[in-house]
Amino acid sequence: MAIENSVFDCQIIHFPVIHNRAGNITPVQNNIEIPFDIKRVYYLYDVPGGADRGGHAHKDLEQLIIAASGSFDITLDDGTSKRTFSLNRPNMGLYLCPGIWRDISNFSSGAICLVLASEYYTEQDYIREYEDFKTYKLK
Ligand code: TYD
């Protein structure tokens, strides 16, 4: 249940790396490296220096967040505990279960935040006010 999910249900996943003198390949596959079926991919880029993203939670969406280029920090909050993760390599990602508030900050210049998501976009799945999130977690 998303209401009961905690920041300790979220974790870093290390992806395979196929090394080559001419560069590396990292494959990510539904239900193999990624613990859900991917329905949507989106990416944040051209983030201005000092800008923060996120600032919301999802009720049902599962996500896998990858620093495809550069680096940024993600702070997770379940209403009780907080955890901050630094993502800075394309061969790792942060799995986010539903029901977790997230703030994304400290984007390096040129960073690309690649997000693999379990559902299509719908605004109904968002909780955008922190007070609403706290109320939701107390249900
Ligand atoms: P939002 O998820 O709030 O961005 P972030 O968490 O990166 O700050 O989305 C910003 C806007 O983009 C919002 O108006 C919804 C829209 N949007 C879509 O239309 N489709 C999508 O797949 C996503 C992720 C956002």
Side-chain angles (χ1 to χ4, degrees):
M1 282 278 286
I3 294 167
E4 292 162 11
N5 283 345
S6 90
V7 292
F8 301 102
D9 298 313
C10 303
Q11 58 185 329
I12 293 287
I13 296 178
H14 294 274
F15 303 131
V17 181
I18 301 162
H19 292 281
N20 187 296
R21 251 180 304 164
N24 300 327
I25 297 177
T26 285
V28 292
Q29 303 164 90
N30 279 343
N31 294 306
I32 301 180
E33 289 83 13
I34 309 295
F36 54 80
D37 276 331
I38 301 163
K39 275 198 187 159
R40 176 168 52 118
V41 175
Y42 64 91
Y43 32 98
L44 306 178
Y45 57 99
D46 290 349
V47 179
D52 297 332
R53 305 288 310 221
H56 63 256
H58 287 279
K59 295 175 203 161
D60 289 319
L61 190 69
E62 293 178 88
Q63 291 168 301
L64 202 298
I65 302 183
I66 301 164
S69 184
S71 61
F72 46 82
D73 297 334
I74 308 182
T75 299
L76 306 183
D77 179 348
D78 58 22
T80 305
S81 303
K82 289 189 182 193
R83 287 173 88 187
T84 298
F85 296 87
S86 292
L87 295 183
N88 53 22
R89 290 293 297 155
N91 63 343
M92 63 192 255
L94 177 63
Y95 169 73
L96 255 86
C97 58
I100 304 293
W101 189 271
R102 89 290 314 273
D103 291 298
I104 313 178
S105 59
N106 293 330
F107 284 88
S108 67
S109 174
I112 299 177
C113 173
L114 175 65
V115 183
L116 313 178
S118 65
E119 299 295 340
Y120 299 117
Y121 168 76
T122 170
E123 188 59 33
Q124 276 68 46
D125 191 60
Y126 281 77
I127 304 171
R128 291 202 180 269
E129 296 296 329
Y130 191 75
E131 281 309 307
D132 294 344
F133 174 68
K134 292 282 277 186
T135 307
Y136 170 80
K137 294 297 267 187
L138 288 174
K139 273 179 195 162

